[in-house]
Amino acid sequence: IVGGYKTLRGDWPWQASLWLRSQSKGSQPLCGATLINSCWLLTAAHCFKRFGTDATRYVVKLGDYHTEEQDDFERVLTPEHVEVHRKYSSESWEHDVALIRLKGAEGKCVSFNPHTNAACLPAPGSKWGKRPASCVITGWGMSDTEHPGMLLQAWVPLLPSWQCKKRYGERFISHSMLCAGSMTSDLRRHADSCQGDSGGPLVCQGEAGRWVLTGVISWGHGCGDPSYPGVYARVSRYLPWIEQVTHSTAPLQH
Ligand code: 4AZ
């Protein structure tokens, strides 16, 4: 996160991180992820591009705040299954979403506490009105602040698609993507997601102050450049897919 601020412990209880399991060097951080219920996390498909979708190669951390320190509520869990969207394209970055299932009995994998809780998914058919929504991105990715290892946050405005297409080109921004970030250059520090934040949440505050998982941090040209906003997978487009995968009664396989 660039142009952001440090969070407070427990502020974003759905924030998770995906690590590559490694015997020799300890685990290696790969991506952010978002807890969407007790057993499932939503992340980016491209997080599995390098090391594949064998769930046993990864670990998921929940309730974490400081990556370098042992936090009281931090939990390290082993995923049971990784489901990358069938139509994900590493060329176009289209459908950059994946689901991770945690180990545990049906519907009960992790218990919630003040530091671990699920984010709300958008209501089916819901759309943000004309008003710009207040949205926040969070992550442990590259930053320009002096808080190494701490979870950072930044407020980013959602942008109309045409504005984003004007910068990246019409054919690169699909209906399943959304763009966020300030495009004016009068701000001292531009808020944006960056390398290492991918897969993590863009949450927007809806009615009654509810935080809704609206985007999955996906891609962008550089970080914090006002000419190139961050691009996110539009979660509302994936509700049927999320429903289908998380409610599948078929036995899960690796
Ligand atoms: C990345 O490399 C990445 N500024 C994620 C988000 C953005 C750029 C790069 C958006 O994972």
Side-chain angles (χ1 to χ4, degrees):
I1 303 287
V2 296
Y5 303 87
K6 66 175 188 174
T7 58
L8 297 176
R9 269 173 221 279
D11 268 358
W12 310 105
W14 42 77
Q15 174 79 52
S17 52
L18 178 71
W19 300 65
L20 182 71
R21 191 188 289 276
S22 168
Q23 253 87 6
S24 51
K25 297 171 289 179
S27 297
Q28 172 190 330
L30 294 176
C31 272
T34 307
L35 194 63
I36 56 166
N37 61 45
S38 170
C39 288
W40 291 89
L41 300 109
L42 186 63
T43 187
H46 81 258
C47 298
F48 302 98
K49 208 179 143 189
R50 266 185 80 188
F51 303 104
T53 56
D54 177 355
T56 62
R57 298 203 66 185
Y58 301 94
V59 292
V60 164
K61 287 189 190 177
L62 293 172
D64 200 9
Y65 176 66
H66 210 299
T67 52
E68 309 287 307
E69 291 167 18
Q70 186 67 43
D71 294 293
D72 290 347
F73 289 90
E74 179 182 335
R75 272 181 292 183
V76 182
L77 298 155
T78 307
E80 182 177 84
H81 179 75
V82 171
E83 181 87 20
V84 168
H85 196 284
R86 208 180 324 112
K87 291 189 188 158
Y88 161 65
S89 161
S90 56
E91 320 254 285
S92 66
W93 293 69
E94 179 75 313
H95 308 304
D96 192 12
V97 284
L99 284 160
I100 302 170
R101 197 205 196 279
L102 299 171
K103 278 186 180 154
E106 192 56 53
K108 276 190 201 149
C109 299
V110 292
S111 50
F112 296 153
N113 63 44
H115 297 251
T116 301
N117 212 328
C120 299
L121 291 174
S126 67
K127 256 204 142 190
W128 299 104
K130 292 262 155 59
R131 295 168 296 120
S134 318
C135 303
V136 170
I137 47 173
T138 46
W140 287 279
M142 297 237 292
S143 83
D144 53 357
T145 66
E146 283 149 35
H147 305 293
M150 273 181 205
L151 182 64
L152 300 183
Q153 66 181 50
W155 290 84
V156 285
L158 294 186
L159 291 171
S161 239
W162 64 266
Q163 220 169 340
C164 196
K165 286 176 176 173
K166 224 166 76 176
R167 300 292 180 166
Y168 284 109
E170 182 89 29
R171 65 194 180 92
F172 294 105
I173 306 298
S174 79
H175 294 302
S176 309
M177 298 174 188
L178 62 83
C179 300
S182 165
M183 289 186 72
T184 53
S185 50
D186 56 332
L187 291 172
R188 195 165 53 89
R189 301 192 309 152
H190 268 89
D192 195 10
S193 48
C194 202
Q195 203 181 320
D197 293 320
S198 327
L202 169 103
V203 286
C204 303
Q205 210 166 16
E207 275 149 47
R210 250 161 103 95
W211 289 99
V212 175
L213 181 61
T214 305
V216 175
I217 301 174
S218 179
W219 64 278
H221 177 80
C223 308
D225 181 339
S227 301
Y228 292 98
V231 187
Y232 300 78
R234 193 186 288 270
V235 174
S236 62
R237 289 261 164 180
Y238 296 102
L239 295 177
W241 173 73
I242 293 169
E243 183 87 357
Q244 183 206 317
V245 174
T246 62
H247 285 114
S248 169
T249 50
L252 294 167
Q253 287 158 17
H254 292 296

